[in-house]
């Protein structure tokens, strides 16, 4: 079980059980986005205006079932959490990447990683970029730097860490209060008595049975993002003590078709020849809409002025066509459907308008210069990747809740086995899981430490 810090520095005695042979978990595999705002040092240094209230309003509007108490706590504590991250021993680069990308190509410290500039959100709340990336280039392993620093700080704080040691079950009193945990390390077993147990053991994307039960969309045709230990053990431990689960059916799934950003100016249609999403949506939002289409089939169409060779082979080029009618027939779309859709799109795009899906004018351009290219966004053809979002129901301080809302004494959850702000792909902002996982993990650690102190 992994915890994001807080308890040891609050003078509690902390034991950390880690099933793996090394620290870091799945987080170390990620690129290093933390979703933070409200006026961080990077935002201020790059001239990006943001306020706590704007961040609250955006997350309230984009989250499937928003918990205002959690969202407000996260936004109000965001700048302080940013400062805490840098105090670990690194600095986010004071620079801004303005382009359309999944992650900054270099070490730029800030970019848009959500749908802040997408309708209807941009009309309600002034957009602000909140995707803070650690100063490591590329889209993998960036967070390892943070996890290495957390390990160092934990050692300095006197945390006892036992690697290759996994929890086998929770220990509870007759009233349901969790009072400890049983563990196994190879052939050795034991039980630890504890005033508070914090479970932060990842998601369940590697557990085929749980995926089939809760998120079947992740099965079969997807590349799973996770490690061996994302097997749902933490969630199952929580269930054994009576913890309720939330948003288990909502995965994060994506097949990004940019860069190059010129492709965003094209249009996406389903197998009925109809548009169904604003193409400038963040990639997770676009993918969530693709999976709702008949047979999860979708095509991205771009003309010769906007079609460029892709830098990533995630969405393959299906074919090229000399006329729209030929393209319509080649894709097997209903007769006249694509001709009508493209005529309407091009007519309005020429005026900088999109009355159907309100695509931002920056990404509108008529697709009239043949020949046309078609990229296949269909599930099973494009390389979709995904991970799980749901987990245990918790309070703002990470206390595990039962189905009736009551708190399970002594049990806390954080990270990918707890449900907080990140709830579905349509509203997801890259960096939310690292941001909220570390933020609410710290709160859970402090709450557990205070419980231990009160029980002495």
């Amino acid at each position: 079980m992994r915890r994001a810090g807080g308890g040891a520095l609050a003078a509690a005695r902390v034991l950390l059980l880690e099933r793996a042979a090394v620290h870091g978990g799945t987080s170390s595999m990620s690129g290093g986005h933390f979703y933070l705002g409200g006026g961080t040092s990077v935002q201020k240094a790059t001239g990006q205006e943001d306020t706590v209230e704007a961040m609250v309003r955006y997350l309230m509007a984009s989250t499937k079932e928003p918990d205002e108490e959690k969202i407000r706590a996260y936004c109000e504590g965001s700048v302080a959490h940013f400062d805490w991250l840098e105090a670990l021993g690194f600095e986010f680069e004071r620079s801004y990447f303005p382009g359309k990308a999944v992650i900054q190509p270099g070490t730029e410290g800030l970019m848009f990683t959500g749908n802040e500039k997408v309708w209807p959100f941009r009309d309600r709340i002034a957009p602000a970029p909140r995707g803070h990336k650690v100063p490591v280039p590329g889209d993998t392993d960036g967070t390892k730097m943070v996890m290495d620093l957390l390990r160092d700080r934990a050692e300095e704080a006197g945390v006892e860490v036992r690697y290759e040691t996994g929890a086998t079950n929770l220990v509870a009193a007759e009233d349901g209060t969790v009072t400890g945990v049983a563990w196994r390390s190879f052939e050795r077993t034991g039980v630890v008595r504890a005033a508070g147990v914090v479970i932060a053991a990842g998601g369940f994307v590697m557990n085929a049975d749980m995926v089939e039960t809760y998120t079947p969309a992740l099965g079969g045709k997807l590349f799973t993002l996770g490690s061996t230990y994302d097997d749902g053990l933490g969630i199952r431990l929580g269930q054994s003590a009576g913890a309720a689960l939330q948003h288990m059916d909502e995965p994060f799934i994506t097949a990004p078709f940019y860069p190059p950003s010129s492709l965003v100016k094209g249009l996406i249609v389903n197998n009925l020849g109809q548009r169904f999403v604003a193409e400038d949506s963040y990639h997770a939002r676009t993918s969530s809409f693709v999976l709702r289409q008949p047979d999860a089939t979708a095509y991205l169409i771009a003309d010769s002025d906007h079609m460029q060779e892709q830098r990533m082979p995630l969405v393959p080029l299906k074919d090229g066509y000399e006329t729209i009618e030929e393209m319509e027939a080649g894709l097997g779309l209903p007769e006249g459907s694509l001709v009508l859709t493209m005529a309407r799109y091009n007519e309005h795009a020429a005026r900088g308008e999109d009355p159907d899906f309100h695509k931002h004018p920056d990404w509108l351009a008529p697709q009239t210069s043949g020949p046309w290219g078609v990229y296949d966004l269909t599930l099973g053809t494009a390389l979709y990747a995904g991970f799980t979002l749901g987990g245990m129901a918790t309070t703002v301080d990470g206390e595990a809740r039962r189905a009736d809302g009551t708190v399970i004494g002594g049990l806390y959850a954080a990270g990918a086995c707890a449900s907080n702000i990140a709830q579905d792909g349509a509203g997801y902002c890259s960096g939310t899981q690292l941001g909220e996982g570390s933020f609410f993990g710290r709160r859970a650690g402090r709450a557990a430490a205070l419980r231990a102190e009160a029980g002495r």
Side-chain angles (χ1 to χ4, degrees), residues 290-355:
V290 169
L291 267 62
R292 300 176 195 175
Q293 303 311 303
D295 302 320
T297 297
Y299 305 106
L300 167 67
I301 301 169
D303 70 2
S304 294
D305 289 345
H306 299 92
M307 185 178 69
Q308 299 178 23
E309 190 67 30
Q310 286 184 278
R311 301 175 197 170
M312 298 182 295
L314 300 180
V315 181
L317 178 67
K318 184 175 180 65
D319 212 339
Y321 300 92
E322 294 296 329
T323 69
I324 297 174
E325 288 81 4
E326 177 190 350
M327 180 165 44
E328 182 180 272
L331 297 176
L333 306 180
E335 185 176 354
S337 62
L338 185 59
V339 172
L340 180 63
T341 295
M342 289 196 67
R344 179 173 175 81
Y345 179 84
N346 290 333
E347 176 188 352
H348 289 290
R351 298 196 294 263
E353 302 171 352
D354 180 18

Side-chain angles (χ1 to χ4, degrees), residues 54-140:
M55 187 178 178
V56 169
R57 290 179 60 207
Y58 173 72
L59 289 176
M60 287 293 295
S62 62
T63 303
K64 183 179 179 182
E65 296 178 1
D67 181 327
E68 186 171 1
E69 182 184 16
K70 287 183 177 179
I71 288 174
R72 188 162 290 281
Y74 183 63
C75 297
E76 290 178 349
S78 188
V79 171
H81 192 60
F82 170 93
D83 294 339
W84 174 82
L85 283 167
E86 290 203 322
L88 293 175
F90 77 98
E91 283 191 352
F92 292 96
E93 189 175 284
R94 268 55 173 172
S95 58
Y96 170 66
F97 178 72
K100 188 80 168 174
V102 175
I103 196 166
Q104 293 93 316
T107 56
E108 299 91 344
L110 184 66
M111 71 173 284
F112 279 94
T113 60
N115 293 287
E116 294 90 348
K117 297 173 74 174
V118 176
W119 186 89
F121 310 112
R122 68 170 182 261
D123 291 347
R124 302 178 187 174
I125 309 109
R130 303 187 180 101
H132 292 69
K133 184 181 184 296
V134 298
V136 176
D139 57 3
T140 59

